[in-house]
């Protein structure tokens, strides 16, 4: 029987296993991110499809790091001048060409670090962006399902998957197909990658902050805009990165 309780029971061991198996990779990723931010860089986060949720979890939220940018396919319209109807293409994330415009719109500086999330790790925009990141000498952290990406053929002309290009790979622990609860007659329901990606994002945030503290530095952290003084605090920190942080509704 499919139920909320059954899903909750299935999610708990996935989260526990992620914490147990990814701690070393989280440490290595946090070293990379903290190093870039302490040198004046910005964390550039990208995910297409539902992997956008991972980027949203890292960027411009209460208790999160200030020097962060969320790259999105919507940037093609919001910042790149493309007609709105390009977003109606359900296969847009499979097009390697869009990565070049996304990278140009990000306008990264040498110290910037990229984190790219994709459950399958095979679509053209994701792999092409990862390729550009590496070609320009930026560190790259991948968030993907190791089980899923190993079982599907790459769609990028290079034959690469996201994980092939990353300096650090974080396994989101989601199964092939993402959904946890099998259905009679085939298929499954209730995806988990967004849940585990949110956990990974907060684990990374905690470890990056710890590295700032270990260095005797104050980490640039957002307050909630919905508490007294939050707007003033946040604007003062954002001003250090004038023109480098995009904040859209």
């Amino acid at each position: 029987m499919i139920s909320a309780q059954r899903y909750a029971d299935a999610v708990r061991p996935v989260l526990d296993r992620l914490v147990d198996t990814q701690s070393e990779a989280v440490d290595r990723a946090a070293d990379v991110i903290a190093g870039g931010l302490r040198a004046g860089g910005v964390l550039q986060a990208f995910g297409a499809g539902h992997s956008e949720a991972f980027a949203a979890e890292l960027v411009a939220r209460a208790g999160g790091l200030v020097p962060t940018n969320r790259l999105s396919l919507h940037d093609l319209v919001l910042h790149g001048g493309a007609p709105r109807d390009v977003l109606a293409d359900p296969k847009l994330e499979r097009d390697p060409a869009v990565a070049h415009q996304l990278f140009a719109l990000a306008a990264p500086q040498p110290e910037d670090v990229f984190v790219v999330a994709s459950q399958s790790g095979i679509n053209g925009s994701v792999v092409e962006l990862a390729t550009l990141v590496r070609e320009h000498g930026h560190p790259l952290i991948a968030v993907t399902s190791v089980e899923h990406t190993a079982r599907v053929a790459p769609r990028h002309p290079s034959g690469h998957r996201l994980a092939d290009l990353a300096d650090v790979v974080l396994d989101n622990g989601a199964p092939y197909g993402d959904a946890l609860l099998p259905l009679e007659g085939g298929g499954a329901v209730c995806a988990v990658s967004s849940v585990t990606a949110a956990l990974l994002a907060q684990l990374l945030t905690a470890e990056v902050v710890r590295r700032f503290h270990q260095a005797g530095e104050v980490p640039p952290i957002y307050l909630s805009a919905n508490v007294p003084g939050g707007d003033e605090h946040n604007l003062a920190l954002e001003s250090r990165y004038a023109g480098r942080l995009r904040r859209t509704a």
Side-chain angles (χ1 to χ4, degrees):
M1 181 70 70
I2 301 298
S3 68
Q5 186 60 55
R6 187 176 171 200
Y7 178 69
D9 291 341
V11 165
R12 289 190 186 101
V14 175
L15 298 180
D16 289 341
R17 186 164 57 250
L18 182 149
V19 172
D20 290 341
T21 63
Q22 298 306 296
S23 60
E24 182 180 346
V26 167
D27 278 343
R28 288 189 283 118
D31 284 340
V32 172
I33 295 170
L37 300 191
R38 291 181 60 221
V42 167
L43 180 62
Q44 308 277 0
F46 176 68
H50 282 89
S51 293
E52 281 191 307
F54 173 79
E57 190 70 16
L58 278 175
V59 177
R61 66 164 304 152
L65 297 160
V66 172
T68 52
N69 262 337
R70 179 162 67 97
L71 283 61
S72 168
L73 293 175
H74 289 81
D75 293 348
L76 302 174
V77 175
L78 292 174
H79 306 290
R84 185 176 181 84
D85 59 7
V86 303
L87 300 177
D89 181 358
K91 295 184 178 180
L92 184 63
E93 68 176 294
R94 298 184 182 181
D95 182 2
V98 303
H100 292 262
Q101 191 170 6
L102 290 175
F103 188 84
L105 289 169
Q109 295 191 7
E111 300 81 8
D112 289 1
V113 176
F114 281 74
V115 183
V116 179
S118 171
Q119 163 72 9
S120 68
I122 62 170
N123 282 316
S125 66
V126 169
V127 177
E128 185 72 4
L129 181 63
T131 301
L132 290 170
V133 168
R134 292 303 302 271
E135 287 176 352
H136 285 79
H138 297 281
L140 174 64
I141 298 158
V143 178
T144 191
S145 166
V146 170
E147 178 184 338
H148 190 136
T149 199
R151 292 177 59 179
V152 288
R155 290 186 173 129
H156 192 271
S158 68
H160 287 143
R161 298 172 174 84
L162 172 62
D164 298 330
L165 300 166
D167 297 291
V168 182
V169 176
L170 296 172
D171 183 3
N172 69 17
Y176 174 73
D178 204 351
L180 282 183
L181 304 182
L183 294 168
E184 291 185 15
V189 296
C190 299
V192 71
S193 63
S194 296
V195 179
T196 56
L199 175 59
L200 282 169
Q202 297 305 329
L203 294 176
L204 283 174
T205 299
E207 286 299 322
V208 170
V209 168
R210 185 163 75 91
R211 282 152 176 77
F212 270 85
H213 287 161
Q214 288 174 332
E217 300 175 9
V218 178
I221 298 296
Y222 277 111
L223 290 178
S224 170
N226 299 308
V227 302
D231 285 340
E232 295 78 7
H233 170 91
N234 296 339
L235 287 172
L237 289 176
E238 287 178 344
S239 68
R240 302 178 187 175
Y241 306 92
R244 300 175 63 196
L245 308 183
R246 290 203 302 268
R247 297 293 182 251
T248 54

